[in-house]
Amino acid sequence: MKAPAFAYVKPASLENAFELLQNPNAKVLAGGQSLIPSLNMRLSEPELLVDITGLPGLSGISLQGSSIRVGALTTHAQIEKSAEIKKHLPLLAQAVPHVAHAAIRNRGTLGGSLALADPAAEYPACAVALEAVFVLKNKTAERRVKASAFFKGLFETDLKPGELLMAAEFPIATKSDRSVFLELARRHGDYAIVGLAAHNDRFVFLGAGDRPVLFSFRKNLEEAKQTLKKDLKPPSDLYNDSATKLHLAGVLLERAWNTITA
Ligand SMILES: Cc1cc2nc3c(=O)[nH]c(=O)nc-3n(C[C@H](O)[C@H](O)[C@H](O)COP(=O)(O)OP(=O)(O)OC[C@H]3O[C@@H](n4cnc5c(N)ncnc54)[C@H](O)[C@@H]3O)c2cc1C
Protein backbone atom coordinates (compact mmCIF):
# COMPACT_ATOMS: atom_id res chain seq x y z
CA MET A 1 0.00 0.00 0.00
CA LYS A 2 1.00 3.62 -0.43
CA ALA A 3 1.08 6.23 2.32
CA PRO A 4 -1.69 8.84 2.35
CA ALA A 5 -0.71 12.33 1.15
CA PHE A 6 1.12 14.43 3.70
CA ALA A 7 3.19 17.61 3.83
CA TYR A 8 6.86 17.32 4.78
CA VAL A 9 9.14 19.86 6.44
CA LYS A 10 12.72 19.47 7.64
CA PRO A 11 13.34 22.33 10.08
CA ALA A 12 16.90 23.43 10.81
CA SER A 13 16.24 24.82 14.29
CA LEU A 14 14.48 23.58 17.39
CA GLU A 15 12.41 26.79 17.51
CA ASN A 16 11.09 26.10 14.03
CA ALA A 17 10.43 22.43 14.88
CA PHE A 18 8.42 23.37 17.98
CA GLU A 19 6.42 25.91 15.95
CA LEU A 20 5.55 23.22 13.39
CA LEU A 21 4.63 20.77 16.16
CA GLN A 22 1.92 23.16 17.34
CA ASN A 23 -0.14 21.64 14.53
CA PRO A 24 -2.14 18.86 16.26
CA ASN A 25 -1.98 16.79 13.05
CA ALA A 26 1.80 16.96 12.75
CA LYS A 27 3.98 13.93 13.48
CA VAL A 28 7.68 13.73 14.26
CA LEU A 29 9.77 11.79 11.75
CA ALA A 30 13.13 10.45 12.96
CA GLY A 31 14.63 7.33 11.32
CA GLY A 32 11.25 6.49 9.76
CA GLN A 33 11.75 2.75 10.33
CA SER A 34 8.46 2.39 12.21
CA LEU A 35 6.56 5.49 11.13
CA ILE A 36 6.90 5.02 7.37
CA PRO A 37 5.65 1.39 7.41
CA SER A 38 2.76 2.51 9.61
CA LEU A 39 1.86 5.24 7.08
CA ASN A 40 2.11 2.75 4.24
CA MET A 41 -0.27 0.48 6.11
CA ARG A 42 -2.56 3.50 6.72
CA LEU A 43 -2.38 2.99 10.47
CA SER A 44 -1.86 6.72 10.82
CA GLU A 45 -2.66 9.68 8.57
CA PRO A 46 -0.78 12.78 9.72
CA GLU A 47 -1.16 16.05 7.81
CA LEU A 48 2.46 17.00 8.26
CA LEU A 49 5.70 15.13 8.91
CA VAL A 50 8.29 17.14 10.80
CA ASP A 51 11.64 15.57 9.98
CA ILE A 52 13.87 16.18 12.99
CA THR A 53 17.04 14.65 11.54
CA GLY A 54 18.48 18.09 10.69
CA LEU A 55 18.14 19.47 14.21
CA PRO A 56 21.27 20.27 16.16
CA GLY A 57 22.05 18.79 19.59
CA LEU A 58 19.96 15.63 19.28
CA SER A 59 22.69 13.16 18.34
CA GLY A 60 25.66 11.66 20.03
CA ILE A 61 26.82 9.78 23.07
CA SER A 62 28.53 11.69 25.85
CA LEU A 63 29.80 10.90 29.31
CA GLN A 64 28.35 13.42 31.79
CA GLY A 65 29.54 12.79 35.33
CA SER A 66 28.01 9.52 36.49
CA SER A 67 25.73 9.10 33.47
CA ILE A 68 25.84 8.69 29.74
CA ARG A 69 23.62 10.94 27.68
CA VAL A 70 22.44 9.43 24.41
CA GLY A 71 20.81 11.94 22.06
CA ALA A 72 17.43 10.95 20.65
CA LEU A 73 18.70 10.89 17.07
CA THR A 74 21.57 8.52 17.85
CA THR A 75 21.08 5.51 15.62
CA HIS A 76 21.06 1.91 16.77
CA ALA A 77 24.23 1.38 14.68
CA GLN A 78 26.02 4.23 16.47
CA ILE A 79 25.05 2.71 19.82
CA GLU A 80 26.26 -0.68 18.64
CA LYS A 81 29.66 0.72 17.61
CA SER A 82 30.20 2.95 20.63
CA ALA A 83 33.15 2.16 22.90
CA GLU A 84 31.55 4.31 25.65
CA ILE A 85 28.38 2.20 25.57
CA LYS A 86 30.40 -1.04 25.67
CA LYS A 87 32.40 0.17 28.62
CA HIS A 88 29.74 1.93 30.69
CA LEU A 89 26.39 0.44 29.66
CA PRO A 90 26.95 -3.29 29.12
CA LEU A 91 23.21 -4.00 29.26
CA LEU A 92 22.52 -1.69 26.31
CA ALA A 93 25.55 -3.07 24.46
CA GLN A 94 24.18 -6.61 24.85
CA ALA A 95 20.68 -5.55 23.77
CA VAL A 96 21.39 -3.51 20.64
CA PRO A 97 22.37 -6.39 18.30
CA HIS A 98 18.85 -7.76 18.92
CA VAL A 99 17.22 -4.57 17.58
CA ALA A 100 16.01 -5.40 14.08
CA HIS A 101 18.49 -5.95 11.24
CA ALA A 102 21.61 -4.03 10.19
CA ALA A 103 19.81 -1.95 7.55
CA ILE A 104 17.20 -0.81 10.07
CA ARG A 105 19.85 -0.21 12.74
CA ASN A 106 21.58 2.20 10.33
CA ARG A 107 18.56 4.52 10.28
CA GLY A 108 16.44 3.77 13.34
CA THR A 109 17.06 5.92 16.39
CA LEU A 110 17.04 5.51 20.16
CA GLY A 111 14.47 8.31 20.48
CA GLY A 112 12.21 6.76 17.86
CA SER A 113 12.21 3.43 19.63
CA LEU A 114 11.52 4.96 23.06
CA ALA A 115 8.82 7.30 21.72
CA LEU A 116 7.13 4.43 19.87
CA ALA A 117 7.02 2.36 23.07
CA ASP A 118 6.56 -1.02 21.44
CA PRO A 119 6.27 -3.40 24.42
CA ALA A 120 8.46 -5.96 22.60
CA ALA A 121 11.27 -3.46 21.92
CA GLU A 122 14.65 -3.78 23.61
CA TYR A 123 15.50 -0.20 24.67
CA PRO A 124 12.40 0.53 26.77
CA ALA A 125 13.09 -2.53 28.96
CA CYS A 126 16.79 -1.64 29.27
CA ALA A 127 15.92 1.94 30.18
CA VAL A 128 13.58 0.78 32.95
CA ALA A 129 16.13 -1.75 34.25
CA LEU A 130 18.88 0.89 34.29
CA GLU A 131 16.62 3.57 35.81
CA ALA A 132 17.30 5.93 32.93
CA VAL A 133 15.88 9.43 32.82
CA PHE A 134 14.42 10.94 29.63
CA VAL A 135 14.75 14.59 28.69
CA LEU A 136 11.58 15.99 27.10
CA LYS A 137 11.22 19.47 25.69
CA ASN A 138 8.51 21.66 24.22
CA LYS A 139 8.42 25.23 22.96
CA THR A 140 8.81 26.72 26.41
CA ALA A 141 10.14 24.18 28.89
CA GLU A 142 12.24 21.10 29.48
CA ARG A 143 11.36 18.30 31.89
CA ARG A 144 12.87 15.03 33.01
CA VAL A 145 10.90 11.82 33.39
CA LYS A 146 12.02 8.48 34.82
CA ALA A 147 11.82 5.65 32.31
CA SER A 148 9.51 3.72 34.66
CA ALA A 149 7.00 6.60 34.53
CA PHE A 150 7.40 7.31 30.80
CA PHE A 151 5.87 4.09 29.46
CA LYS A 152 2.13 4.35 30.08
CA GLY A 153 0.69 1.49 28.06
CA LEU A 154 0.61 -0.13 24.63
CA PHE A 155 2.44 2.32 22.33
CA GLU A 156 1.60 5.01 24.88
CA THR A 157 4.06 7.32 26.62
CA ASP A 158 4.17 10.41 28.77
CA LEU A 159 5.10 12.56 25.71
CA LYS A 160 2.65 15.44 25.39
CA PRO A 161 1.53 17.03 22.09
CA GLY A 162 4.20 19.41 20.84
CA GLU A 163 6.96 17.74 22.87
CA LEU A 164 10.17 16.15 21.62
CA LEU A 165 12.18 13.46 23.31
CA MET A 166 15.65 15.03 23.33
CA ALA A 167 17.85 12.43 25.02
CA ALA A 168 18.06 9.59 27.49
CA GLU A 169 20.44 9.66 30.45
CA PHE A 170 21.64 6.29 31.70
CA PRO A 171 23.53 5.90 35.00
CA ILE A 172 26.87 4.30 34.19
CA ALA A 173 27.48 0.81 35.50
CA THR A 174 29.81 0.44 38.47
CA LYS A 175 32.28 -2.43 38.88
CA SER A 176 29.93 -4.37 41.14
CA ASP A 177 26.89 -4.03 38.85
CA ARG A 178 25.81 -7.15 36.98
CA SER A 179 23.73 -6.97 33.80
CA VAL A 180 22.43 -9.48 31.33
CA PHE A 181 20.17 -9.15 28.30
CA LEU A 182 18.42 -12.21 26.88
CA GLU A 183 15.72 -12.62 24.30
CA LEU A 184 13.88 -15.30 22.38
CA ALA A 185 12.73 -14.41 18.88
CA ARG A 186 11.52 -16.47 15.92
CA ARG A 187 14.52 -15.25 13.92
CA HIS A 188 17.41 -13.11 15.05
CA GLY A 189 16.44 -9.47 14.45
CA ASP A 190 12.71 -10.05 14.78
CA TYR A 191 10.85 -8.44 17.63
CA ALA A 192 11.16 -10.59 20.75
CA ILE A 193 8.58 -13.19 21.70
CA VAL A 194 9.81 -12.55 25.22
CA GLY A 195 12.98 -10.90 26.45
CA LEU A 196 14.60 -9.90 29.69
CA ALA A 197 16.79 -6.95 30.62
CA ALA A 198 18.27 -7.65 34.04
CA HIS A 199 20.40 -5.23 36.01
CA ASN A 200 21.30 -6.35 39.54
CA ASP A 201 17.94 -7.09 41.21
CA ARG A 202 15.86 -5.30 38.56
CA PHE A 203 14.43 -7.79 36.06
CA VAL A 204 12.45 -6.15 33.24
CA PHE A 205 10.55 -8.31 30.76
CA LEU A 206 9.75 -7.25 27.20
CA GLY A 207 7.01 -8.78 25.08
CA ALA A 208 5.28 -9.76 28.30
CA GLY A 209 2.81 -6.93 28.92
CA ASP A 210 1.56 -3.67 27.45
CA ARG A 211 4.86 -2.01 28.48
CA PRO A 212 8.16 -3.10 30.09
CA VAL A 213 7.28 -5.19 33.14
CA LEU A 214 9.54 -4.72 36.17
CA PHE A 215 10.16 -7.26 38.94
CA SER A 216 12.59 -6.70 41.78
CA PHE A 217 13.89 -10.08 42.88
CA ARG A 218 16.09 -10.13 45.94
CA LYS A 219 15.72 -13.54 47.60
CA ASN A 220 16.15 -16.90 45.89
CA LEU A 221 15.45 -18.22 42.43
CA GLU A 222 12.60 -20.50 43.49
CA GLU A 223 10.74 -17.60 45.07
CA ALA A 224 11.42 -15.44 42.01
CA LYS A 225 9.99 -18.15 39.72
CA GLN A 226 6.87 -18.51 41.87
CA THR A 227 6.32 -14.73 41.90
CA LEU A 228 6.71 -14.62 38.13
CA LYS A 229 4.18 -17.43 37.62
CA LYS A 230 1.69 -15.64 39.83
CA ASP A 231 2.17 -12.05 38.68
CA LEU A 232 3.30 -12.03 35.04
CA LYS A 233 0.39 -12.11 32.62
CA PRO A 234 1.86 -11.99 29.11
CA PRO A 235 -0.66 -11.30 26.35
CA SER A 236 -0.95 -13.89 23.58
CA ASP A 237 0.29 -12.85 20.16
CA LEU A 238 -0.25 -14.26 16.66
CA TYR A 239 2.18 -17.12 17.28
CA ASN A 240 2.37 -17.77 21.02
CA ASP A 241 -0.25 -18.05 23.71
CA SER A 242 0.10 -16.56 27.15
CA ALA A 243 1.11 -19.85 28.82
CA THR A 244 3.96 -20.38 26.34
CA LYS A 245 5.23 -16.86 26.89
CA LEU A 246 5.05 -17.30 30.64
CA HIS A 247 7.05 -20.50 30.36
CA LEU A 248 9.67 -18.77 28.18
CA ALA A 249 9.85 -15.85 30.62
CA GLY A 250 10.60 -18.38 33.38
CA VAL A 251 13.40 -19.89 31.28
CA LEU A 252 14.95 -16.45 30.73
CA LEU A 253 14.56 -15.61 34.41
CA GLU A 254 16.52 -18.70 35.42
CA ARG A 255 19.28 -18.05 32.87
CA ALA A 256 19.59 -14.40 33.88
CA TRP A 257 19.50 -15.23 37.58
CA ASN A 258 22.33 -17.72 37.18
CA THR A 259 24.44 -15.17 35.29
CA ILE A 260 23.75 -12.30 37.68
CA THR A 261 24.47 -14.34 40.79
CA ALA A 262 27.44 -16.34 39.42
C1 LIG B 1 11.40 -5.14 9.93
C2 LIG B 1 11.59 -4.35 11.19
C3 LIG B 1 12.03 -5.00 12.32
C4 LIG B 1 12.20 -4.28 13.51
N1 LIG B 1 12.62 -4.96 14.61
C5 LIG B 1 12.79 -4.29 15.77
C6 LIG B 1 13.23 -4.96 16.94
O1 LIG B 1 13.51 -6.16 16.95
N2 LIG B 1 13.34 -4.23 18.07
C7 LIG B 1 13.06 -2.88 18.10
O2 LIG B 1 13.19 -2.27 19.16
N3 LIG B 1 12.67 -2.24 17.01
C8 LIG B 1 12.53 -2.90 15.85
N4 LIG B 1 12.11 -2.22 14.74
C9 LIG B 1 11.82 -0.77 14.85
C10 LIG B 1 13.09 0.05 14.72
O3 LIG B 1 13.92 -0.15 15.84
C11 LIG B 1 12.76 1.54 14.64
O4 LIG B 1 13.93 2.16 14.22
C12 LIG B 1 12.34 2.23 15.89
O5 LIG B 1 11.29 1.60 16.55
C13 LIG B 1 11.83 3.63 15.59
O6 LIG B 1 12.90 4.48 15.39
P1 LIG B 1 12.89 5.50 14.19
O7 LIG B 1 14.01 6.45 14.46
O8 LIG B 1 12.89 4.77 12.93
O9 LIG B 1 11.53 6.31 14.46
P2 LIG B 1 10.35 6.74 13.46
O10 LIG B 1 9.85 5.56 12.73
O11 LIG B 1 10.76 7.92 12.69
O12 LIG B 1 9.29 7.21 14.57
C14 LIG B 1 8.65 6.28 15.42
C15 LIG B 1 7.67 7.04 16.33
O13 LIG B 1 8.37 7.82 17.28
C16 LIG B 1 8.05 9.22 17.15
N5 LIG B 1 9.34 9.91 17.38
C17 LIG B 1 10.53 9.60 16.80
N6 LIG B 1 11.52 10.34 17.36
C18 LIG B 1 10.93 11.13 18.29
C19 LIG B 1 11.44 12.10 19.21
N7 LIG B 1 12.74 12.39 19.30
N8 LIG B 1 10.56 12.73 20.03
C20 LIG B 1 9.23 12.44 19.96
N9 LIG B 1 8.69 11.52 19.13
C21 LIG B 1 9.54 10.87 18.30
C22 LIG B 1 7.49 9.35 15.74
O14 LIG B 1 6.59 10.43 15.65
C23 LIG B 1 6.78 8.01 15.57
O15 LIG B 1 5.53 8.04 16.22
C24 LIG B 1 11.94 -2.89 13.54
C25 LIG B 1 11.51 -2.23 12.38
C26 LIG B 1 11.33 -2.93 11.22
C27 LIG B 1 10.87 -2.20 9.99
Side-chain angles (χ1 to χ4, degrees):
M1 278 177 78
K2 279 189 183 164
F6 53 81
Y8 168 90
V9 183
K10 186 174 180 182
S13 73
L14 274 173
E15 291 70 26
N16 192 358
F18 288 128
E19 279 306 325
L20 293 162
L21 290 172
Q22 295 305 300
N23 177 345
N25 296 316
K27 202 138 180 79
V28 173
L29 174 68
Q33 299 304 293
S34 297
L35 183 56
I36 299 297
S38 87
L39 297 184
N40 289 342
M41 289 187 275
R42 307 263 171 146
L43 295 173
S44 120
E45 297 200 15
E47 226 170 63
L48 168 68
L49 292 191
V50 180
D51 182 343
I52 61 170
T53 56
L55 296 180
L58 280 171
S59 285
I61 298 166
S62 55
L63 192 55
Q64 300 193 342
S66 57
S67 41
I68 292 227
R69 180 182 166 108
V70 185
L73 284 177
T74 311
T75 63
H76 310 320
Q78 287 166 332
I79 292 173
E80 196 172 13
K81 287 183 194 131
S82 162
E84 299 281 30
I85 298 284
K86 262 193 198 87
K87 182 169 173 199
H88 297 296
L89 295 175
L91 184 66
L92 211 56
Q94 289 176 58
V96 67
H98 294 277
V99 179
H101 311 280
I104 292 160
R105 291 201 292 274
N106 283 335
R107 297 194 81 97
T109 65
L110 174 90
S113 172
L114 297 174
L116 184 68
D118 189 313
E122 289 78 6
Y123 294 146
C126 291
V128 173
L130 293 168
E131 301 187 86
V133 172
F134 299 156
V135 183
L136 312 181
K137 197 171 162 67
N138 69 11
K139 208 176 160 200
T140 53
E142 185 173 285
R143 65 190 179 106
R144 288 176 143 67
V145 179
K146 285 184 182 168
S148 53
F150 180 78
F151 300 104
K152 298 275 193 201
L154 193 64
F155 298 103
E156 196 191 332
T157 71
D158 195 41
L159 272 166
K160 307 278 186 286
E163 244 177 359
L164 278 179
L165 173 61
M166 305 294 288
E169 295 170 350
F170 298 90
I172 63 176
T174 64
K175 279 201 177 120
S176 59
D177 284 339
R178 304 298 303 269
S179 307
V180 58
F181 185 90
L182 299 168
E183 103 170 26
L184 297 165
R186 290 172 71 227
R187 291 170 307 188
H188 185 86
D190 281 2
Y191 273 106
I193 300 168
V194 180
L196 174 56
H199 185 64
N200 301 326
D201 62 349
R202 293 171 71 82
F203 287 67
V204 183
F205 289 90
L206 49 140
D210 66 354
R211 67 194 90 174
V213 186
L214 168 69
F215 286 86
S216 267
F217 295 128
R218 292 204 171 81
K219 292 190 180 156
N220 57 56
L221 176 60
E222 264 329 295
E223 192 194 273
K225 280 162 79 176
Q226 289 314 319
T227 306
L228 195 73
K229 262 193 198 150
K230 191 162 57 69
D231 294 345
L232 189 70
K233 312 242 179 292
S236 309
D237 60 30
L238 278 180
Y239 305 103
N240 299 283
D241 62 17
S242 179
T244 307
K245 286 182 145 197
L246 184 59
H247 170 76
L248 296 176
V251 171
L252 295 186
L253 168 64
E254 183 155 357
R255 288 180 190 167
W257 185 284
N258 291 336
T259 308
I260 294 254
T261 57

